[in-house]
Amino acid sequence: MAASEGLAIGALARRTGLAVSAIRYYEAQGLISPWRNAGGQRRYQRADIRRLSFVMIAQQFGLTLPEIRRVLSGLPGNRTPTPQDWKAISVQLRAHLDQRIDTLKRLRDNLDGCIGCGCLSLPKCALYNPDDRAKSHGSGPRYLMGDAPEG
């Protein structure tokens, strides 16, 4: 297949390890933008392999699809991203990862007080229910039952 013909969706699925349905979903979410050949078949750029790989990695970092779409919108649509393009993205993600690391450290450091809580309304829960504010809504796992935490 000539590079100008692009990749068929099956070839993209084999290269990324994603199901065809997942690729179509990511397309619907605006994360990749294939074109159609004369026969109406989707064709993808080789750069979409990296874009989809980035999507999978970014999801593991905890980014949502709208966040991922925002980050990817900074990449050029008419050429393959350069190492400098990817470096600029990594700088953007660093703050997000640092914040996530801080949150996970706080959770780890307070985990002994949360294990077995179940209701998230122990009087000394510093993470989800400081000063047992949830008890004003009744008994049980108030936040899991749909009550919004008070800000």
Side-chain angles (χ1 to χ4, degrees):
M1 164 175 53
S4 62
E5 294 177 19
L7 294 169
I9 196 166
L12 186 61
R14 283 188 297 280
R15 292 291 304 274
T16 61
L18 290 167
V20 168
S21 59
I23 294 171
R24 288 186 182 131
Y25 177 74
Y26 291 142
E27 176 187 345
Q29 296 299 307
L31 300 172
I32 53 175
S33 299
W35 71 93
R36 301 259 180 190
N37 66 10
Q41 297 173 327
R42 289 175 173 89
R43 291 293 184 245
Y44 298 87
Q45 298 178 52
R46 292 194 182 280
D48 288 332
I49 296 169
R50 283 199 178 134
R51 288 177 74 94
L52 291 172
S53 296
F54 173 78
V55 169
M56 291 184 284
I57 292 166
Q59 285 179 310
Q60 290 179 2
F61 290 162
L63 270 70
T64 64
L65 290 181
E67 290 170 328
I68 294 168
R69 183 175 41 254
R70 183 187 50 75
V71 170
L72 288 177
S73 71
L75 289 178
N78 58 349
R79 68 169 167 80
T80 300
T82 65
Q84 292 80 17
D85 293 324
W86 288 113
K87 184 171 182 167
I89 284 179
S90 73
V91 169
Q92 290 178 39
L93 294 179
R94 187 170 302 276
H96 174 82
L97 291 175
D98 288 343
Q99 181 181 20
R100 187 159 169 84
I101 289 167
D102 289 343
T103 300
L104 289 170
K105 283 181 179 177
R106 202 168 49 253
L107 178 61
R108 178 201 61 205
D109 294 344
N110 291 290
L111 191 59
D112 58 338
C114 290
I115 296 291
C117 172
C119 70
L120 301 178
S121 64
L122 289 176
K124 56 186 203 172
C125 181
L127 288 177
Y128 296 109
N129 188 30
D131 301 319
D132 199 19
R133 292 182 300 205
K135 72 179 174 185
S136 66
H137 299 287
S139 60
R142 300 313 311 172
Y143 301 149
L144 294 175
M145 294 167 67
D147 291 339
E150 298 168 12

